[in-house]
Amino acid sequence: MKQDMIVILDLGSEKNTDIARKVRSLGVYSEIHPHDISPEKLSILPNIKGIIINGGKNNVVEGVKIDVNHGIYEAGYPLLAVNH
């Protein structure tokens, strides 16, 4: 049986590892992935039960606020956006 997983998408936060550690302390496996992961690459990850989109003070690159691929919002996973 594969373990349930929460995916953390990094939008420039310094707290990604803290969030991953907290999720794991609750007994749920988590992985941190870059903000620009495609919905196709996300869909091949096993047993995703939800996504945390984690922003922060580093979410502006060359004057443009970064975001996840728009298809992530439409992929059907439960989403939690933090500092987004």
Side-chain angles (χ1 to χ4, degrees):
M1 183 173 139
K2 294 183 180 178
Q3 192 172 13
D4 293 345
M5 178 171 51
I6 297 293
V7 173
I8 300 164
L9 298 181
D10 178 8
L11 282 174
S13 176
E14 298 173 348
K15 302 289 184 181
N16 291 314
T17 55
D18 294 338
I19 292 173
R21 200 172 299 123
K22 181 62 177 177
V23 170
R24 292 174 189 150
S25 77
L26 297 171
V28 179
Y29 179 68
S30 63
E31 289 184 0
I32 301 168
H33 288 273
H35 75 280
D36 59 353
I37 189 171
S38 69
E40 295 77 25
K41 286 186 179 179
L42 191 68
S43 70
I44 63 172
L45 297 174
N47 277 12
I48 297 174
K49 298 300 178 187
I51 298 172
I52 298 173
I53 301 171
N54 191 28
K57 64 182 182 179
N58 298 318
N59 69 349
V60 176
V61 176
E62 296 178 2
V64 178
K65 187 174 179 180
I66 59 174
D67 197 0
V68 298
N69 182 302
H70 187 70
I72 300 292
Y73 294 112
E74 299 170 352
Y77 299 107
L79 296 171
L80 171 65
V82 180
N83 291 325
H84 186 273

